[in-house]
Amino acid sequence: MVGFGGEAEPDMASRGCGPLIPPLSESMRPLRQQVFERVRASGLIARVQVAKDLGVSPASVTTITSELIEAGLIEEVSAPRDPELGRGRPAVALGVRAGAHLVAGMKMSDREHSAVVVDFAGNLLANEVVPRGPGPMPLPDMLNAMEALLDRVCQKAGVARAGLAGVGIGLPGFVDQAEGVVLWSSTLTERAVPLAEAAQARLGLPVSIDNDANLVALAELWFGAGRSLADFAVVTFEHGVGMGFVMNHRIYRGSQRLGMELGHTKVQLDGALCRCGQRGCLEAYVADYALAREATTALNWGHREGQSISVLLESLYEHAQSGDATARSIFRRAGRYLAVGLANVVNLFDPALIILSGERLKFDYLYAAETLAEMDNLVINTGRPRPPIEIHAWGDLLWAHGAAALALSAVTERILTAPRELAAQ
């Protein structure tokens, strides 16, 4: 047999064909992990329904749920009985034992740090937001800020820091979630920082880190509009432009865990300077620092150089609303570049839903009719409607919830894939 390169190939039967899927890959998680996640996702669910949903025998589910109850991870709950069924023994459902474990999620951003504490069922126990000065900080200062924030939110929740099972941390930039390394972030002065290891040593707790846009997508997947969707995109607008993409109910990160950098796709060759050091990035036209930079030049605001970006944006928006042609043109151009970016997302991924997220979305140019019309012109015309777009103008606590979901996922994985005698401890 001759192969694609023209050389002789071994007999097909000797090497097989088709994708070589590793055993126990992500799509083949242990059954007890699948059972637990089904219970947590459902809130309350009967054993027979778990078996039906997972396509396994009721006997297998009964055995596994008994183990999970014995381990203190789930519990039996009397479910409300349908009045039409009359009297009789109350129905019994399964639910996560909320107090089994507590986790914290933190978002370390350019303007403020936020944190939440949630229980094992994902219920919010406490939150905290702390402002910070602009600009990157050295690693020791970042660790100090993390520790102070965590202690404050734990105090609000009435729990000791040692009572947490794990911490999730999100921050902007290029973050290798699997390695726990921040290759670059606008919040850190150093590059290639092993942040998960450093934070774990400082906090004395297991720590998981990720890019903040991924965590917004994770928050939507766990708590929001994406719970029932297999594939959707979240585009975030804050100091920069980020994107998280859910594919087959999982965050897609790419082969080096650095994918989905929508803000650094190029929309103009040799264009405006981006904070990443390259030119022509989408972020260099749409991000808040880009709008403030353009407003300072176009509106002769050099005398306002000391003002914060948020104050400059508020002023720019007020000028646009009052009819200032220059201010409106700045927003209009940003909206056109945003349309290019969103059209590229649709043409590349065909998601079921696009969520635009971030406090910046109070500036309605981002979803003005002209922007969506421009996007429609740029999307391939297949005769079918484009994906719906939802606007979630939420603050940093949403990002912190995503970090908490990251911690919950890590804790769940650690417990349910550990040897059973260890998981029960």
Side-chain angles (χ1 to χ4, degrees), residues 191-329:
R191 289 176 174 257
V193 177
L195 185 62
E197 180 182 355
Q200 185 162 315
R202 171 63 68 90
L203 303 177
L205 296 165
V207 170
S208 303
I209 68 170
D210 206 344
N211 168 268
D212 56 0
N214 282 342
L215 296 185
V216 177
L218 201 59
E220 295 286 3
L221 179 64
W222 277 62
F223 307 110
R227 292 196 64 208
S228 61
L229 298 177
D231 307 279
F232 65 92
V234 174
V235 179
T236 61
F237 299 90
E238 295 294 332
H239 192 57
V241 176
M243 176 173 159
F245 193 80
V246 170
M247 182 181 297
N248 193 24
H249 305 283
R250 295 284 184 273
I251 297 291
Y252 177 79
R253 294 187 172 89
S255 63
Q256 298 187 61
R257 286 85 66 182
L258 298 172
M260 300 296 110
E261 285 294 339
L262 178 66
H264 300 288
T265 56
K266 303 302 180 281
V267 296
Q268 180 69 56
L269 292 178
D270 302 320
L273 181 65
C274 178
R275 62 177 177 169
C276 75
Q278 297 189 6
R279 289 187 175 274
C281 297
L282 174 63
E283 182 176 293
Y285 296 92
V286 177
D288 57 4
Y289 71 85
L291 296 177
R293 177 177 63 192
E294 188 169 354
T296 300
T297 301
L299 296 172
N300 296 316
W301 283 357
H303 62 286
R304 304 177 64 172
E305 188 174 341
Q307 291 184 341
S308 68
I309 289 178
S310 59
V311 171
L312 288 174
L313 282 182
E314 290 283 358
S315 182
L316 179 64
Y317 188 58
E318 289 171 2
H319 276 65
Q321 281 188 313
S322 65
D324 186 297
T326 302
R328 286 189 171 187
S329 69

Side-chain angles (χ1 to χ4, degrees), residues 376-425:
D376 288 337
N377 291 333
L378 297 170
V379 169
I380 296 171
N381 183 5
T382 62
R384 295 181 176 179
R386 63 163 168 78
I389 295 178
E390 292 187 7
I391 312 299
H392 294 177
W394 298 336
D396 271 9
L397 285 177
L398 173 72
W399 310 64
H401 266 91
L406 180 70
L408 282 174
S409 181
V411 169
T412 301
E413 184 103 9
R414 188 170 70 241
I415 292 172
L416 295 177
T417 59
R420 299 190 184 187
E421 61 273 13
L422 295 177
Q425 290 179 2

Side-chain angles (χ1 to χ4, degrees), residues 31 34 49-58 61:
L31 184 56
Q34 295 182 51
Q49 188 62 46
V50 174
K52 182 178 179 181
D53 290 349
L54 297 180
V56 298
S57 70
V61 170

Side-chain angles (χ1 to χ4, degrees), residues 54-80:
L54 297 180
V56 298
S57 70
S60 297
V61 170
T62 297
T63 299
I64 290 173
T65 54
S66 296
E67 293 172 359
L68 294 173
I69 290 172
E70 185 178 351
L73 301 178
I74 65 174
E75 59 189 358
E76 292 184 330
V77 180
S78 294

